Amino acid sequence: MGLNDSSPGTMRNGRGLSDQWAESVVVRPRTTERHITVHKRLVLGFALSIITLIIVTVVAVVLSLRFEDCGGRDRKGSTGEVGSRGSGGSGKLNGNRGERTGERGDEETVQPWKNSRLPGSIRPRHYDLRLAVYMDNFTFSGEVSIELECINATRFIVLHTDRLEVDRVSVTAESGASGRPSNRPGGGVMRIHRHFSYPTNQMYVVVLHRELKPMRVYRLNISFDAAIEDELLGFFRSSYTLQRERRYLAVTQFSPIHARKAFPCFDEPVYKATFSLTLRHDPQYTSLSNMPVESSGPADEDGWVTNRFGRTPRMSTYYLAWAVCNFTYREAQTDGGVTIRLYARPDAISSGAGDYALHITKRLLGFYEDYFKVQYSLPKLDLLAVPKHPYAAMENWGLSVFVEQKILLDSEVSSSSYKMELTMVVVHEICHQWFGDLVTPVWWEDVWLKEGFAHFFEYVGTDFLFPKWNMEKQRFLTDVLHEVMLLDGLSSSHPISQEVEQATDIDRVFDWIAYKKGAALIRMLASVMGQPVFQRGINDYLLSHMYSNAARDDLWSKLSEAMRSDGRDIDIGDMMDRWTLQMGYPVVTISKNQSEQLPTHYITVSQEHFLYGEEVRKNISLQWQVPLTVAVGNASSVCLESLIWINNKTETHGIGQMDDNTWLLGNINQTGYFRVNYDLHNWKLLIQQLHSHPQIISVGNRAGLIDDAFNLARAGYLPQGVPLQLIGYLPEETSFLPWHAASRALYQLDKLLDRTDDYRLFSDYVLKQVASRYHQMGWPTNGPGSEGSVLPTSYQTEELQRELIMLACSFGNKQCHRQAVAYISDWISSNKNRIPPNIRDIVYCTGVSLMDEDVWEFIWMKFHSTNAVSEKKILLEALTCSDNTFLLNRLLNLSLTSDLVPEQDVIDVIIHVGRNPQGRSLAWKYFREKWDILNARYGEALFMNSKLISGVTEFLNTERELSEKSDQMKSC
């Protein structure tokens, strides 16, 4: 029986084996000598066992101590218990709990928490997050239970936390990959060796005694506490005043890497999971999240309520969102049954300030569903208007958050340009529900995959809402294409796709190159492919990667497939990699062929990297695949354009018949992302055409010729006289777009010349160009209450009138100044504002600059008394226009040291003071003195610091200022 009991299947330790051996000794007859030999062997074996045990123990202790050093002195520790607490100090290893660690020694060599990216051995499948929010002291406590799938065997669970006080941690083995509970040995509770934070990489590490097994499911449970911050990132607080009472709200901003400030998570885009959120809070507040409330528990003994929200689709951590506020809402519903609500301050809702955004959102959901051929994925979409936010808006899936200035509209006082800006912000964020939320870039290097598409569709979607605006074919050129080409023509530019390794590198990819260049390249691609084929390609892209992640090659693949299905074998990836992986863009030079061997209908086309500064160009040589469209025209007509692919430095191509009076025009309607230059004779012919019959050339190309000419001259490709001769035709120009292009180009010259002896000649030249058209257009009549629709159909005319008034007043037209002063004086004397909304910002600024201190105080008072967010914005900007340096200094100091200026407006105040010739040195000095405070407040917010630095240094153009700027940037 003993043999059976001691069978190998029942032996789990050395004792079973020794019992079997001892029993065999008893039953076998042995001599005395053999007994002595056996006992000697027993003693020797026992001694060796003791020595081995001592050696193993020593090794274990040594390795444990070395591991203690590797983890860092700031780590939180555990005692190796199954569910352990961290006190925030350095952890102490319990010797008899951690002895097995020394047998492996892998902590010393692996240390995955020291890498900037998560190791990838495990991935989250579902988060169950429960939070209690304490608005009385601005703290919150939470518990998160994360369902994990093990990909590769590991003893380390590494995830992100930042500024969280972790309390208890536990890990359990849940099941196999099939999802069924595990009854195998080793299932259930997992022993934790230790857990600690690694602040350098904002990571939290849980080290287990034994490995997690591939294809198995585990559950990580963490409880934690944190503060509701006041710095606009993570889970932060904001406030507003209602009936003289200060009220508070708390809302999240997780993009790009701030979900880790609110709960422990795998805070990288590729780790998509589903989320179940429960919020517990004081009943005076309402709570919102991505999904509708699934159940709302009755008040607890302390009177608090508990809201459990529905389970989300798979999404990245930075799209999770929640808010706790006491807002009210207006509601609409789409034909497909999606509930849309706009939440805002009760007084804003009752005034109807949110109705416009709610109305266009309903229409936009239908537009995008039809365009993308993919239904909106959630049962509801909330739009939340908050008083304070680091960005214009954030596209959280099902709960998009907007700063009030970008979503609330008072039709009685808001200008058409303000309405246009608000419209485009809403269009942008709704597009993200597909490009971003549904399909998310794999990593931040391709952030343009979502931001470029959303920026492009700002114009496409706005055209759907208001076709007469013609945004994509016109306003896109000046506001996107021309603007980003200024940046991308600098030697300091960078590729649209750029490597991102450290968390600190992520902020820099969110710039205008990603947004505007991304949009311009997508527009060029759509033009090359044709609208139906392009639409089919992005539809396939969305369907193939929905609820998942994608990289640029995934997009190129689907667009190439769409091209092949249309019978065109073009490798989109090969073409677009040149545009996305190289910085900058080309200048394409077109000239009539002068060779005697070729007939006159041949042209020579060359390309080179466009850069401002001839010295810089010598060191860089890049090439692109350029889709060049070319048209041939003369004084009375223009022929249809041809598409020519330029792949080499210089090429010769056949084109329509030409003579000495025939001009060439490249990049028709400016669909391509490049500049076009010509030989001087062709420029002369184009200038003659504009002066004699400008309408022969399309309005988009007229604007393009102005922008190209000024920038080619600035970069040294053209004589400076060419662009000035070209805009000599402007007094006859009746369209807004060329005037807008000219205004932007003249603004660049104004920055360079405004402190030179030649400035008067320049300003007189501008006024001469503006005068006749300005007097012909006149000033608008006061229109509050007279507009027949929320947005006027005469948008282009209104914008041209506004552009001319702005140029006239800015450059010193006396009649313009008199009119502005008369408007301000009438407002002060009657206390009734009869200034047309579309030009209020111009009139306010002109009045403050020309009139006395009492006018400044009047505008300051109106800034505090008005409730219209659009009016507040332009009143605050008007205060920066004063010529009185004492008032400018006062405004700068009030903006940063008091609550009188909203926190998100402080940067705009500093920038606008810097744009004022009287305030330029003040703003620059203030920026340098207050840099530490500004960087501490805005340093982590995307755009804010870069916006401040570029804005305050925009007009610095002396050697001394350049030296000061260089020194300041080094200290930054």
Side-chain angles (χ1 to χ4, degrees):
M1 294 289 293
L3 286 171
N4 292 335
D5 291 342
S6 301
S7 64
T10 61
M11 288 188 291
R12 296 295 178 192
N13 50 44
R15 176 164 183 164
L17 192 58
S18 62
D19 287 347
Q20 181 187 13
W21 180 81
E23 194 171 324
S24 68
V25 170
V26 173
V27 297
R28 293 179 182 175
R30 302 179 184 272
T31 63
T32 302
E33 292 81 9
R34 292 198 63 178
H35 275 288
I36 292 171
T37 302
V38 167
H39 284 297
K40 286 181 178 178
R41 289 176 178 172
L42 274 171
V43 171
L44 182 60
F46 182 73
L48 288 172
S49 298
I50 294 296
I51 293 170
T52 302
L53 182 59
I54 291 171
I55 293 172
V56 168
T57 302
V58 170
V59 171
V61 170
V62 170
L63 288 178
S64 297
L65 289 173
R66 293 186 69 181
F67 177 71
E68 180 83 13
D69 294 337
C70 292
R73 296 182 179 180
D74 298 328
R75 301 179 299 195
K76 295 183 179 180
S78 74
T79 59
E81 297 173 359
V82 167
S84 54
R85 290 182 179 270
S87 63
S90 60
K92 294 183 179 180
L93 185 64
N94 183 302
N96 58 10
R97 293 280 184 181
E99 60 189 19
R100 291 187 60 193
T101 306
E103 298 170 10
R104 303 169 190 258
D106 54 356
E107 302 91 339
E108 184 178 354
T109 56
V110 179
Q111 298 185 4
W113 55 89
K114 291 194 173 181
N115 296 323
S116 60
R117 299 281 299 275
L118 294 176
S121 299
I122 54 177
R123 67 183 179 203
R125 303 207 313 188
H126 178 72
Y127 294 80
D128 191 350
L129 178 60
R130 299 172 297 281
L131 300 175
V133 181
Y134 306 98
M135 294 296 290
D136 56 341
N137 63 2
F138 302 120
T139 62
F140 66 102
S141 60
E143 297 177 357
V144 64
S145 179
I146 311 174
E147 184 181 292
L148 303 172
E149 180 182 357
C150 181
I151 308 302
N152 300 308
T154 181
R155 294 176 52 242
F156 306 106
I157 300 175
V158 184
L159 69 167
H160 289 108
T161 63
D162 184 20
R163 308 183 197 178
L164 301 180
E165 187 69 26
V166 172
D167 183 15
R168 181 173 290 276
V169 179
S170 66
V171 180
T172 57
E174 292 286 298
S175 67
S178 64
R180 284 178 284 187
S182 173
N183 295 317
R184 290 181 292 177
V189 176
M190 305 284 293
R191 286 180 62 204
I192 296 175
H193 171 59
R194 64 183 284 105
H195 58 92
F196 58 91
S197 67
Y198 189 69
T200 301
N201 286 336
Q202 300 178 347
M203 289 179 181
Y204 202 86
V205 184
V206 180
V207 185
L208 301 169
H209 273 273
R210 55 188 176 82
E211 288 185 334
L212 304 177
K213 303 300 182 185
M215 305 298 290
R216 297 281 301 281
V217 175
Y218 300 86
R219 186 168 296 278
L220 171 65
N221 303 292
I222 303 177
S223 59
F224 56 94
D225 301 286
I228 301 173
E229 301 286 357
D230 189 31
E231 60 176 27
L232 309 184
L233 297 170
F235 187 27
F236 70 92
R237 66 183 184 267
S238 182
S239 66
Y240 62 97
T241 302
L242 184 67
Q243 298 173 348
R244 297 185 178 180
E245 176 191 356
R246 173 78 72 178
R247 294 192 177 188
Y248 290 92
L249 65 143
V251 65
T252 58
Q253 171 55 42
F254 290 162
S255 177
I257 54 169
H258 304 295
R260 64 192 70 176
K261 287 181 169 66
F263 66 106
C265 58
F266 295 78
D267 203 12
E268 292 179 7
V270 75
Y271 291 103
K272 285 198 169 187
T274 55
F275 296 82
S276 296
L277 174 68
T278 301
L279 290 177
R280 183 174 172 272
H281 54 80
D282 190 297
Q284 69 173 296
Y285 293 97
T286 299
S287 55
L288 306 170
S289 187
N290 306 78
M291 298 294 286
V293 174
E294 189 175 68
S295 64
S296 185
D300 298 335
E301 292 180 1
D302 56 5
W304 281 33
V305 296
T306 301
N307 287 333
R308 182 171 180 82
F309 297 88
R311 188 180 183 120
T312 70
R314 288 185 74 243
M315 64 184 190
S316 300
T317 47
Y318 70 91
Y319 283 131
L320 182 66
W322 63 80
V324 177
C325 59
N326 44 22
F327 285 174
T328 54
Y329 66 87
R330 291 278 177 92
E331 180 179 296
Q333 197 163 53
T334 68
D335 294 338
V338 177
T339 300
I340 307 170
R341 289 180 176 176
L342 190 144
Y343 286 84
R345 292 177 283 109
D347 54 333
I349 292 296
S350 61
S351 70
D355 292 355
Y356 171 69
L358 188 65
H359 167 73
I360 64 172
T361 298
K362 178 181 176 179
R363 294 184 61 198
L364 285 167
L365 280 181
F367 164 73
Y368 284 127
E369 287 181 335
D370 181 63
Y371 192 102
F372 298 144
K373 301 294 186 287
V374 178
Q375 294 298 299
Y376 176 70
S377 302
L378 305 186
K380 63 94 173 176
L381 174 58
D382 293 334
L383 312 176
L384 179 64
V386 297
K388 186 169 68 172
H389 197 266
Y391 319 120
M394 177 61 204
E395 69 273 11
N396 309 308
W397 212 353
L399 178 58
S400 290
V401 181
F402 297 76
V403 70
E404 288 182 339
Q405 293 175 357
K406 303 301 182 183
I407 196 169
L408 300 182
L409 177 72
D410 187 332
S411 59
E412 291 294 307
V413 300
S414 298
S415 66
S416 59
S417 58
Y418 178 86
K419 295 167 189 173
M420 181 199 75
E421 183 181 356
L422 184 153
T423 301
M424 297 178 76
V425 171
V426 175
V427 173
H428 180 107
E429 301 309 321
I430 304 304
C431 178
H432 272 316
Q433 305 296 308
W434 284 265
F435 283 92
D437 297 357
L438 184 66
V439 179
T440 311
V442 170
W443 185 237
W444 300 109
E445 63 191 7
D446 281 331
V447 72
W448 70 271
L449 278 179
K450 70 185 186 78
E451 297 301 347
F453 267 100
H455 203 57
F456 171 65
F457 275 99
E458 282 183 32
Y459 295 83
V460 176
T462 303
D463 274 346
F464 162 75
L465 295 171
F466 305 101
K468 293 184 179 179
W469 289 15
N470 213 6
M471 296 291 288
E472 188 267 323
K473 286 185 171 58
Q474 293 194 19
R475 196 65 185 254
F476 185 95
L477 304 184
T478 52
D479 294 5
V480 179
L481 186 66
H482 297 173
E483 184 170 325
V484 75
M485 280 184 158
L486 279 173
L487 296 174
D488 208 17
L490 300 172
S491 59
S492 58
S493 187
H494 59 80
I496 192 172
S497 292
Q498 48 183 329
E499 290 187 7
V500 177
E501 293 297 332
Q502 305 294 330
T504 52
D505 295 334
I506 294 173
D507 287 0
R508 64 182 170 83
V509 303
F510 285 84
D511 62 4
W512 285 136
I513 298 293
Y515 282 68
K516 293 181 181 289
K517 183 174 181 177
L521 293 181
I522 290 164
R523 179 174 177 265
M524 178 174 72
L525 193 52
S527 176
V528 169
M529 296 179 68
Q531 190 62 39
V533 180
F534 174 73
Q535 211 168 330
R536 187 162 63 246
I538 61 173
N539 165 248
D540 196 14
Y541 168 78
L542 290 171
L543 288 173
S544 299
H545 300 285
M546 60 196 307
Y547 306 113
S548 187
N549 300 82
R552 59 181 176 271
D553 285 344
D554 298 313
L555 177 64
W556 305 151
S557 174
K558 294 303 178 183
L559 295 180
S560 294
E561 288 177 17
M563 290 289 277
R564 285 193 293 270
S565 69
D566 193 52
R568 290 181 286 170
D569 190 13
I570 296 178
D571 187 335
I572 297 296
D574 187 48
M575 167 195 169
M576 293 304 296
D577 278 349
R578 306 255 190 120
W579 295 95
T580 58
L581 302 180
Q582 297 181 157
M583 64 174 279
Y585 56 88
V587 52
V588 176
T589 301
I590 308 172
S591 58
K592 296 175 186 176
N593 193 280
Q594 304 297 319
S595 172
E596 296 181 0
Q597 287 78 28
L598 294 172
T600 56
H601 59 275
Y602 274 80
I603 59 171
T604 299
V605 183
S606 62
Q607 64 162 300
E608 67 173 290
H609 186 187
F610 177 91
L611 283 169
Y612 297 106
E614 295 182 53
E615 289 301 316
V616 180
R617 291 199 290 272
K618 295 177 181 177
N619 302 320
I620 301 177
S621 178
L622 301 174
Q623 287 182 224
W624 290 262
Q625 289 187 22
V626 182
L628 174 66
T629 48
V630 181
V632 179
N634 54 38
S636 58
S637 65
V638 60
C639 298
L640 294 176
E641 69 266 17
S642 304
L643 174 62
I644 302 171
W645 284 96
I646 310 300
N647 298 300
N648 303 303
K649 283 286 187 182
T650 303
E651 298 181 4
T652 302
H653 290 271
I655 203 161
Q657 193 70 33
M658 297 178 291
D659 57 34
D660 289 343
N661 295 318
T662 302
W663 45 258
L664 296 164
L665 184 66
N667 197 13
I668 305 306
N669 295 321
Q670 288 212 289
T671 56
Y673 186 70
F674 48 88
R675 298 196 185 280
V676 182
N677 195 10
Y678 310 93
D679 58 75
L680 288 178
H681 179 67
N682 198 77
W683 275 112
K684 181 180 178 181
L685 293 173
L686 288 169
I687 291 170
Q688 290 174 355
Q689 184 67 62
L690 290 174
H691 281 260
S692 62
H693 193 185
Q695 283 70 29
I696 289 289
I697 299 173
S698 71
V699 64
N701 275 115
R702 298 202 299 273
L705 284 169
I706 292 170
D707 186 69
D708 276 350
F710 272 97
N711 283 283
L712 289 166
R714 175 185 171 187
Y717 292 93
L718 273 181
Q720 294 290 339
V722 172
L724 295 177
Q725 292 174 32
L726 191 148
I727 64 169
Y729 93 97
L730 281 177
E732 305 305 317
E733 179 59 75
T734 59
S735 294
F736 159 72
L737 195 69
W739 274 105
H740 193 47
S743 177
R744 296 173 68 90
L746 293 169
Y747 178 68
Q748 298 298 322
L749 286 177
D750 183 69
K751 290 192 295 183
L752 295 173
L753 298 173
D754 74 334
R755 286 185 286 180
T756 67
D757 295 336
D758 295 327
Y759 185 72
R760 173 56 60 187
L761 291 174
F762 170 68
S763 61
D764 287 346
Y765 171 80
V766 174
L767 288 176
K768 180 181 177 182
Q769 300 302 311
V770 171
S772 63
R773 185 58 57 184
Y774 161 72
H775 289 295
Q776 183 178 350
M777 295 290 293
W779 285 61
T781 55
N782 188 17
S786 64
E787 296 176 358
S789 60
V790 177
L791 292 166
T793 56
S794 58
Y795 165 76
Q796 299 288 349
T797 301
E798 277 199 358
E799 286 299 282
L800 174 58
Q801 189 177 51
R802 169 186 162 77
E803 195 78 44
L804 292 167
I805 292 171
M806 183 187 69
L807 284 168
C809 279
S810 297
F811 284 94
N813 181 285
K814 300 301 182 185
Q815 193 277 335
C816 191
H817 285 179
R818 286 194 297 271
Q819 183 65 55
V821 169
Y823 266 126
I824 295 290
S825 300
D826 175 70
W827 185 17
I828 294 173
S829 61
S830 67
N831 201 29
K832 185 174 182 180
N833 192 341
R834 286 185 269 259
I835 305 169
N838 206 38
I839 56 168
R840 283 187 179 182
D841 57 336
I842 303 170
V843 172
Y844 292 173
C845 183
T846 304
V848 167
S849 68
L850 295 175
M851 302 171 79
D852 58 23
E853 186 175 336
D854 290 341
V855 173
W856 193 95
E857 296 290 354
F858 176 79
I859 296 293
W860 176 251
M861 177 192 69
K862 290 297 183 182
F863 166 71
H864 288 291
S865 63
T866 185
N867 291 320
V869 292
S870 61
E871 187 74 354
K872 271 188 175 297
K873 181 177 184 291
I874 61 174
L875 286 166
L876 183 61
E877 289 178 0
L879 293 168
T880 69
C881 298
S882 175
D883 285 349
N884 187 322
T885 55
F886 170 78
L887 293 175
L888 294 177
N889 255 326
R890 176 183 166 193
L891 181 62
L892 286 170
N893 289 318
L894 285 172
S895 67
L896 200 58
T897 60
S898 73
D899 293 332
L900 297 176
V901 175
E903 189 171 334
Q904 70 270 17
D905 293 330
V906 171
I907 286 178
D908 286 332
V909 169
I910 299 172
I911 290 173
H912 280 84
V913 170
R915 288 175 179 171
N916 181 341
Q918 304 304 318
R920 190 165 304 160
S921 59
L922 296 177
W924 177 228
K925 180 173 180 286
Y926 190 79
F927 167 79
R928 286 180 289 148
E929 290 176 351
K930 305 296 183 182
W931 168 250
D932 289 340
I933 298 173
L934 292 164
N935 190 47
R937 181 182 293 188
Y938 303 110
E940 282 197 90
L942 305 179
F943 278 133
M944 283 204 168
N945 256 359
S946 60
K947 176 184 176 182
L948 174 61
I949 293 169
S950 61
V952 82
T953 60
E954 183 180 10
F955 283 86
L956 304 182
N957 56 15
T958 67
E959 289 293 335
R960 179 178 59 83
E961 290 168 342
L962 180 62
S963 176
E964 290 174 347
K965 179 181 177 181
S966 178
D967 293 341
Q968 182 66 33
M969 292 305 102
K970 289 176 183 177
S971 68
C972 293

